[in-house]
Amino acid sequence: IKEFNLLVYSQVEGKRAVIVAKTPDVQNLSLILESQEPTLYNDLAPFLELVEKKEISGPSYFRNAASVRGYKGPNFRFLTLSNNDFGVCYLVLGDYFVLSTSWKSMQETISRLNLPGRMVELTQELKKGDSGKEVEILQSWLKEEGTGIYPEGIINGYFGPATERAVKRFQEKYAADILAPQGKTYGTGVVDHYTRIKLNELYATSGIIPPTAEITRELRYGDKGDQVYLLQTWLAKDPQIYPEKMISGWFGYLTQKAVIRFQEKYKKEILTPQGLEKGTGIVDAFTRKKLNELYGNSK
């Protein structure tokens, strides 16, 4: 980003700052921001305290705007720092990057820029062991149901035991709409057709779901995000390659070892053309090509 506009938005709670910039590299910027979320508050703290004109308490975690019931705009990430609509919101959409210090100022900026959005909804059956953006959306929505449904409140994009239990509770809470039509009494923990209908009825809103049909970039140790979820999901299909089956969205040591095994299994197509004998653990162009060939769109 070389040029940006700094705006001041006046709302009932006080003045809020908004930064708007155009960027040609939307995908990389999104990945950078996502990876920096754990430290983003500390990085911005001096600026935030200058805007708020007082010391502010630390954050909990970023959430998807798409998970908030009733929101009708493009999805953005937000972190609330106080109950007077002050925090950190950021959006990367089209060729725009927007950073604001309140929910209202973000909504107003989106409206003025006329940024598009598309429907965020659950579109497929989800069950234990699944991973990806739709699982993250599911978890966000279950968390909105409260601690009675999802006490753990984990939002990591992996459908584990806690998510399964939450789905069962949700199904039993709305048994008349989900279980009764199927002649069932107890929740199954599988997000089936009836469960999706109810979840979408309650929470579906406008936002963005990144495509995850293929691996599109180089991945290596330390990376995180949807592309890593997808990589781990594919590697886990072969127990000889990835026996641990850790699907976390973070490219750690186990994922690196699995990539090495995958590269050496398909040595002729991945390593030999590069003059290599042993796997590198980096998902390079040759490795991506083989992964997409085996598990991508056509599969």
Side-chain angles (χ1 to χ4, degrees):
I1 297 174
K2 295 182 179 180
E3 297 182 1
F4 64 88
N5 293 312
L6 176 60
L7 311 173
V8 176
Y9 176 77
S10 295
Q11 58 187 66
V12 174
E13 295 83 358
K15 292 182 178 180
R16 300 290 182 258
V18 181
I19 294 174
V20 180
K22 281 198 169 186
T23 172
D25 198 355
V26 172
Q27 183 178 16
N28 281 338
L29 180 58
S30 296
L31 293 167
I32 291 170
L33 288 168
E34 182 182 349
S35 68
Q36 290 184 342
E37 279 187 2
T39 62
L40 194 56
Y41 165 74
N42 290 330
D43 295 338
L44 294 173
F47 170 71
L48 295 172
E49 291 182 4
L50 177 64
V51 172
E52 186 68 350
K53 297 181 179 178
K54 65 179 181 180
E55 187 174 346
I56 52 179
S57 59
S60 51
Y61 57 88
F62 278 86
R63 298 171 58 197
N64 286 315
S67 69
V68 177
R69 187 183 301 191
Y71 173 63
K72 300 293 183 182
N75 188 41
F76 59 88
R77 298 284 284 172
F78 74 97
L79 178 151
T80 301
L81 296 174
S82 72
N83 59 8
N84 64 339
D85 191 20
F86 183 76
V88 179
C89 305
Y90 74 83
L91 165 72
V92 181
L93 182 60
D95 56 355
Y96 280 101
F97 165 62
V98 181
L99 175 70
S100 75
T101 57
S102 74
W103 178 282
K104 290 178 183 176
S105 61
M106 175 61 81
Q107 283 190 295
E108 178 65 20
T109 304
I110 288 171
S111 176
R112 293 191 180 191
L113 293 174
N114 195 28
L115 295 177
R118 67 181 176 85
M119 196 67 174
V120 166
E121 60 181 353
L122 299 180
T123 62
Q124 59 184 317
E125 178 178 285
L126 298 171
K127 59 184 181 299
K128 187 176 178 180
D130 287 343
S131 63
K133 182 58 67 175
E134 289 214 20
V135 176
E136 182 182 343
I137 292 170
L138 167 67
Q139 291 169 327
S140 297
W141 291 355
L142 290 172
K143 187 171 182 178
E144 290 297 314
E145 286 286 313
T147 56
I149 296 295
Y150 195 21
E152 298 84 0
I154 300 168
I155 303 175
N156 61 4
Y158 176 68
F159 197 128
T163 305
E164 184 181 48
R165 290 192 296 270
V167 170
K168 288 180 180 179
R169 296 186 191 105
F170 178 86
Q171 290 170 326
E172 291 170 5
K173 177 179 179 179
Y174 298 100
D177 298 316
I178 299 172
L179 301 177
Q182 304 181 71
K184 297 176 181 177
T185 303
Y186 300 104
T188 63
V190 176
V191 181
D192 54 26
H193 176 71
Y194 288 91
T195 309
R196 285 203 313 276
I197 287 177
K198 190 62 184 178
L199 282 161
N200 287 332
E201 174 191 316
L202 292 172
Y203 295 107
T205 184
S206 295
I208 301 299
I209 300 178
T212 55
E214 62 180 6
I215 294 175
T216 59
R217 64 183 181 88
E218 180 177 283
L219 298 171
R220 61 176 65 218
Y221 184 90
D223 286 344
K224 60 183 290 190
D226 288 332
Q227 292 271 288
V228 179
Y229 280 126
L230 187 62
L231 169 66
Q232 292 171 326
T233 301
W234 287 355
L235 292 172
K237 291 178 181 291
D238 187 338
Q240 299 301 314
I241 296 293
Y242 196 21
E244 299 85 2
K245 296 185 178 182
M246 289 288 291
I247 302 174
S248 63
W250 184 72
F251 196 128
Y253 176 74
L254 295 177
T255 305
Q256 185 181 52
K257 296 294 289 184
V259 170
I260 290 173
R261 294 188 194 104
F262 179 85
Q263 291 171 326
E264 293 178 353
K265 178 177 180 178
Y266 297 100
K267 179 178 179 179
K268 184 177 179 180
E269 294 155 280
I270 299 173
L271 301 178
T272 302
Q274 303 182 73
L276 300 173
E277 288 294 324
K278 296 183 178 181
T280 62
I282 297 172
V283 181
D284 54 28
F286 289 90
T287 309
R288 288 202 311 274
K289 181 180 178 181
K290 189 61 184 178
L291 282 162
N292 289 329
E293 175 189 315
L294 291 173
Y295 304 113
N297 284 324
S298 63
K299 308 299 177 183

